[in-house]
Amino acid sequence: MHIEHVQHHGLPCLRLHADGASALFALHGAHALSWIPVDGRERLFLSERSRFDGAAAIRGGVPVIFPQFGERGVYPRHGFARTMPWRPAGIEAGQAVFELRDSERTAAWPHAFAARLRIALSATRLAITLDVENTGAHAFDFTAALHTYLRVDDLAQAAVQGLQGCDYEDNAGGGVLRREDNYEVAFHGEVDRIYNDVVAPLVLVDGERQLAIEHEGFPDCVVWNPGEQLAARIGDLAPGDWRRFVCVEAAAAMKPETLAPGEIWSGTQTLG
């Protein structure tokens, strides 16, 4: 893997190259902004209205959600990891590594930790691994996700396969629990679901194209698209943007993970 230091909209970034593929990561949030496999087609969605001010969360790509998913706790929505500067830690075992440790800026969450994002890139695959280590003297709980925005040509022709038989929390339908009976999850209006105990590989259907999605270590999968009405109220989405992405997120959201002192938790999402 070859790494070059670049700027994107004024933010310091690392561009990774391997086997004819590339990926772009901002140090702000260790945020994946682009993934282009060897065929040359961009796979991640990034809103043209994203803010790149080094403070706000970026809309699109792969935000890192930690230590709180959504509003499932007393801390700010989706935690602080996506708006913090991460340190590039070089290449280990062929993987690019970013690191975030506890500091004065994370003091509102009173735990000692080390979070690492490890990136493996090949011609046709991108694997992102989040490691969380408890470096303190007391156990802590957390929730986390890789909030992956996948580009599609037309939402009306998109669907997610592989979730049939899984239970899910329907957050667009008042948070009720349901069981997925359909072979394909299609998108008609707002879809906001947390699927539990997802073990089978998933497939994102995008018209005639398909993208395989695998999770390891993450027990849940979030499937989200705001639909037209909610998207109109999201300031950093341009008109019509909701038709151009599907979020399929590897997550530990429904039940917090608990780490004892010295323990390490790890979860991976692999695309391609």
Side-chain angles (χ1 to χ4, degrees):
M1 181 185 295
H2 169 66
I3 297 179
E4 58 177 327
H5 292 260
V6 299
Q7 297 274 322
H8 184 81
H9 290 281
L11 289 181
C13 299
L14 297 184
R15 191 179 302 277
L16 316 180
H17 299 272
D19 303 330
S22 68
L24 180 67
F25 283 78
L27 300 188
H28 176 66
H31 193 124
L33 304 177
S34 170
W35 167 45
I36 304 176
V38 69
D39 66 4
R41 190 167 65 89
E42 176 64 65
R43 296 299 201 273
L44 300 183
F45 167 84
L46 189 66
S47 173
E48 64 186 39
R49 291 188 175 179
S50 292
R51 293 170 59 188
F52 296 97
D53 59 5
I58 298 169
R59 175 70 66 183
V62 187
V64 178
I65 307 304
F66 172 83
Q68 178 180 296
F69 181 85
E71 296 173 349
R72 295 168 180 262
V74 300
Y75 300 103
R77 177 178 173 82
H78 283 333
F80 52 70
R82 62 183 182 153
T83 57
M84 291 284 180
W86 292 55
R87 181 182 71 87
I91 297 177
E92 298 177 8
Q95 297 180 327
V97 182
F98 299 84
E99 185 177 70
L100 176 68
R101 289 181 175 268
D102 58 282
S103 67
E104 291 181 358
R105 296 183 63 179
T106 68
W109 191 66
H111 303 290
F113 72 93
R116 298 177 185 89
L117 203 70
R118 297 187 281 115
I119 316 302
L121 179 67
S122 66
T124 59
R125 289 165 70 87
L126 174 69
I128 302 178
T129 299
L130 175 63
D131 298 329
V132 179
E133 180 181 1
N134 184 344
T135 61
H138 305 283
F140 63 71
D141 295 341
F142 70 93
T143 49
L146 300 175
H147 195 328
T148 307
Y149 288 72
L150 297 169
R151 179 183 293 270
V152 297
D153 288 338
D154 179 5
L155 185 68
Q157 303 299 317
V160 178
Q161 299 175 346
L163 293 165
Q164 188 173 21
C166 293
D167 294 330
Y168 68 92
E169 182 179 287
D170 185 358
N171 291 303
V176 299
L177 295 178
R178 307 182 191 275
R179 175 156 293 182
E180 187 56 71
D181 296 323
N182 297 308
Y183 174 68
E184 291 189 335
V185 176
F187 297 88
H188 308 291
E190 181 186 358
V191 174
D192 186 357
R193 303 175 180 178
I194 304 177
Y195 289 86
N196 180 243
D197 196 23
V198 177
V199 294
L202 307 179
V203 174
L204 173 63
V205 177
D206 178 17
E208 297 298 317
R209 301 186 179 97
Q210 295 187 348
L211 179 70
I213 306 168
E214 299 176 21
H215 298 163
E216 182 178 352
F218 286 102
D220 307 325
C221 176
V222 179
V223 178
W224 181 70
N225 180 277
E228 184 174 10
Q229 292 185 0
L230 177 58
R233 302 196 300 270
I234 299 176
D236 52 2
L237 282 178
D241 269 354
W242 59 277
R243 297 189 181 96
R244 293 188 277 273
F245 72 84
V246 168
C247 285
V248 182
E249 312 167 32
M254 295 190 74
K255 179 182 177 182
E257 301 287 339
T258 299
L259 274 186
E263 285 189 335
I264 299 175
W265 173 92
S266 184
T268 301
Q269 183 180 57
T270 302
L271 307 172

